[in-house]
């Protein structure tokens, strides 16, 4: 039976408190912290095989994501690590890596086992080759239907799985740590000379994207929407100006007026959904509508750990948002405070038809291709983590 030690439980509580207190200001920091806590769970907990490990991690996913929206980075990292566990398990059983598609690799394992059974079973020693082939195919079909992935995972013991799994997790952590840098290296392919590029508020990924292009002597001008009432655009303007990038801060209300002068829009995102839509900071939807009206391309910078297999229509939109204190809008000392209901949503949903290109850690893709990337990143059986959380909260 899988069991988590007390000291790891304390680490999990510390991680959850840090998330609730917004200690991780950058999304990449949250992603790396999630990988670290899951490595602690895997490395220091008691479990006997891959199946028990997967069950234990799934049981902790809701706890790690407590207080966050359903399409958070924590869920995505958890799904990816579960996929890595399954990949390593199948690789150990099969003896070689058939690629990233687990379904194909698992099918090869089942086919190999079926072939061995039919070769060793005297029942199928029939001179009629056609009949023997049909029986062999029937055994393969029966094995495929009767042996779920869990039975494959339960055959991989801890002492064999853990060393290879920890190596893969170290590689994955390095990949996440370098994801923003790798994404920024695509800047020269998307930012051309003397362009005017519009962005909204502050995004660490977008900042690195701009700075990489400027470091390569690419000349361009950045218009920055200030993103009221938080005014994070001012931080972006200061950081870019320090890198000698020409910037102009624009009020949010002027987005439609300046759109005719803009060559393209470059924004970050909190989460990229399976249908190609995205959740981003408030004001992005208005920005996308104005861009659509003027046929200005909208480019989204999204590292792979922000790709989520969820669909916003499956959940309450309020559940997928966060609402900070309205103090920035109206002071608590105001005379009108008691007679007004002030809602301050942090994020907007942007449908895929308003997005032109998704710039990931590899190459740019259309929003319609996101579902394929998601299917390669995660296992289908882990896509129900949010629904499981919703059921458990009832």
């Amino acid at each position: 039976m899988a069991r988590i030690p007390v000291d790891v439980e304390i680490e999990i509580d510390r991680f959850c408190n840090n998330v609730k207190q917004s200690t991780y200001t950058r999304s990449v920091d949250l992603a790396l912290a999630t990988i670290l806590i899951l490595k602690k769970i895997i490395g220091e907990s008691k479990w006997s095989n891959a199946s028990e490990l997967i069950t234990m991690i799934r049981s902790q996913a809701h706890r790690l994501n407590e207080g966050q929206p359903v399409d958070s980075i924590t869920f995505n990292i958890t799904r990816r690590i579960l996929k890595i566990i399954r990949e390593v398990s199948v690789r150990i059983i099969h003896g070689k890596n058939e690629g990233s598609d687990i379904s194909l690799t698992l099918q090869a394992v089942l086919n190999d086992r079926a072939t061995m059974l039919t070769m060793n079973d005297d029942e199928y020693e029939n001179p009629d080759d056609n009949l023997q082939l049909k029986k062999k195919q029937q055994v393969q079909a029966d094995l495929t239907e009767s042996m779920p992935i869990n039975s494959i995972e339960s055959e991989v013991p801890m002492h064999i799985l853990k060393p290879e799994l920890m190596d893969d997790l170290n590689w994955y952590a390095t990949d996440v740590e370098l994801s923003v840098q790798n994404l920024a290296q695509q800047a020269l392919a998307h930012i051309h000379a003397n362009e005017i590029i519009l962005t909204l508020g502050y995004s660490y990924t977008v900042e690195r994207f701009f700075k990489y292009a400027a470091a390569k002597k690419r000349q361009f001008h950045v218009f920055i929407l200030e993103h009221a009432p938080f005014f994070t655009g001012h931080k972006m303007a200061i950081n870019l100006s320090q890198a000698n990038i020409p910037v102009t801060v624009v009020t949010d209300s002027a987005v439609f007026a300046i759109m005719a002068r803009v060559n393209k829009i470059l924004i970050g995102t909190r989460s990229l959904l399976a249908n190609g839509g995205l959740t981003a900071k408030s004001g992005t939807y208005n920005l996308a509508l104005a861009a659509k009206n003027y046929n200005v391309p909208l480019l989204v910078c999204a590292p792979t750990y922000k790709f989520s297999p969820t669909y916003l229509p499956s959940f309450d939109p309020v559940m997928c948002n966060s609402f900070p204190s309205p103090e920035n809008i109206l002071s608590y000392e105001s005379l009108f405070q008691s007679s007004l209901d002030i809602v301050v949503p942090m994020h907007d949903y942007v449908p895929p038809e308003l997005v032109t290109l998704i710039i990931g850690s590899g190459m740019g893709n259309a929003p319609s291709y996101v579902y394929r990337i998601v299917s390669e990143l995660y296992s289908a059986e882990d896509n129900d983590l949010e629904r499981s959380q919703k059921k458990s909260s009832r």
Side-chain angles (χ1 to χ4, degrees):
M1 185 67 180
R3 183 175 60 84
I4 299 178
V6 176
D7 55 339
V8 178
E9 292 279 359
I10 295 174
E11 291 290 334
I12 295 175
D13 290 337
R14 183 179 295 112
F15 168 81
C16 295
N17 289 334
N18 289 338
V19 172
K20 293 176 182 177
Q21 296 172 10
S22 301
T23 303
Y24 308 109
T25 56
R26 301 184 306 176
S27 60
V28 66
D29 294 333
L30 175 59
L32 291 173
T34 305
I35 295 174
L36 179 61
I37 194 65
L38 288 173
K39 284 176 62 178
K40 283 184 175 293
I41 294 174
I42 294 170
E44 302 179 22
S45 299
K46 303 296 183 181
W47 46 276
S48 59
N49 53 52
S51 181
E52 285 190 4
L53 176 61
I54 289 174
T55 301
M56 180 176 62
I57 291 178
R58 285 179 60 91
S59 67
Q60 295 298 316
H62 305 149
R63 179 181 175 187
L64 296 176
N65 195 69
E66 186 178 359
Q68 300 181 68
V70 294
D71 57 336
S72 72
I73 293 172
T74 302
F75 268 143
N76 297 336
I77 295 294
T78 304
R79 288 190 188 96
R80 182 57 186 157
I81 290 181
L82 290 172
K83 175 72 176 286
I84 292 174
I85 295 172
R86 293 185 172 94
E87 286 179 337
V88 175
S89 301
V90 174
R91 187 171 70 224
I92 291 173
I93 292 177
H94 198 43
K96 58 183 178 179
N97 189 359
E98 295 289 344
S100 60
D101 192 340
I102 283 186
S103 61
L104 297 179
T105 308
L106 180 59
Q107 186 63 48
V109 175
L110 297 177
N111 289 344
D112 287 349
R113 293 185 175 185
T115 302
M116 293 177 61
L117 286 176
T118 53
M119 290 177 63
N120 296 330
D121 198 338
D122 294 337
E123 181 182 354
Y124 298 130
E125 292 181 358
N126 194 308
D128 189 347
D129 293 339
N130 292 332
L131 179 60
Q132 186 176 5
L133 179 60
K134 290 181 180 179
K135 290 184 177 181
K136 185 182 297 184
Q137 293 173 345
Q138 182 63 40
V139 171
Q140 292 177 355
D142 293 342
L143 278 172
T144 303
E145 294 176 358
S146 61
M147 294 186 62
I149 292 181
N150 290 338
S151 65
I152 299 295
E153 295 159 353
S154 61
E155 296 184 14
V156 185
M158 179 187 70
H159 68 279
I160 298 177
L161 175 63
K162 183 180 288 187
E164 290 199 29
L165 179 58
M166 297 305 289
D167 288 342
D168 280 28
L169 292 181
N170 290 334
W171 173 87
Y172 178 52
T174 302
D175 182 64
V176 170
E177 187 175 6
L178 298 176
S179 59
V180 176
Q181 177 182 335
N182 294 335
L183 190 150
Q185 292 176 358
Q186 304 177 55
L188 296 181
H190 301 283
I191 297 178
H192 305 117
N194 302 318
E195 282 190 327
I196 296 178
I197 304 174
L198 178 63
T199 189
L200 171 64
Y202 177 79
S203 168
Y204 172 72
T205 305
V206 175
E207 178 190 348
R208 292 290 300 272
F209 200 86
F210 285 140
K211 286 185 175 181
Y212 183 87
K216 297 300 181 179
K217 309 303 180 183
R218 188 62 53 89
Q219 299 294 324
F220 58 95
H221 192 109
V222 180
F223 282 6
I224 305 174
L225 296 177
E226 58 184 358
H227 187 219
F230 311 103
F231 301 104
T232 58
H234 297 177
K235 177 182 177 180
M236 176 69 94
I238 293 172
N239 292 352
L240 294 184
S241 62
Q242 291 174 348
N244 297 321
I245 300 175
V247 298
T248 300
V249 179
V250 183
T251 60
D252 297 337
S253 58
V255 60
F256 199 86
I258 67 169
M259 191 60 65
R261 297 183 55 192
V262 173
N263 297 110
K264 65 180 53 143
I265 299 171
L266 189 67
I267 62 172
T269 179
R270 183 188 70 172
S271 181
L272 192 62
L273 306 181
N275 65 340
L278 55 99
T279 55
K281 55 178 63 70
S282 57
T284 305
Y285 183 58
N286 292 338
L287 174 64
L289 289 175
K292 187 73 172 179
N293 183 77
Y294 280 93
N295 292 322
V296 176
L298 175 64
L299 282 59
V300 180
C301 294
T304 52
Y305 56 81
K306 292 188 177 182
F307 284 63
S308 176
T310 59
Y311 292 86
L312 186 63
S314 301
F315 306 95
D316 184 356
V318 175
M319 185 180 178
C320 300
N321 216 322
S322 55
F323 302 89
S325 168
E327 172 70 18
N328 292 324
I329 305 296
L330 185 66
S331 172
Y332 287 120
E333 299 176 357
S334 172
L335 298 175
F336 304 100
Q337 190 271 339
S338 60
S339 59
L340 295 175
D341 291 329
I342 303 175
V343 180
V344 188
M346 286 288 291
H347 300 94
D348 280 348
Y349 170 69
V350 181
E353 55 268 20
L354 300 180
V355 179
T356 306
L357 190 69
I358 306 295
I359 305 175
S361 298
M363 56 181 292
N365 293 286
S368 59
Y369 193 73
V370 171
Y371 82 97
R372 177 59 183 170
I373 299 176
V374 166
S375 67
E376 294 176 354
L377 288 174
Y378 315 117
S379 297
E381 53 265 41
D382 297 324
N383 293 347
D384 64 342
L385 289 180
E386 291 91 347
R387 288 185 287 275
S388 299
Q389 183 182 34
K390 191 174 181 179
K391 290 179 181 178
S392 63
S393 62
R394 290 179 178 177

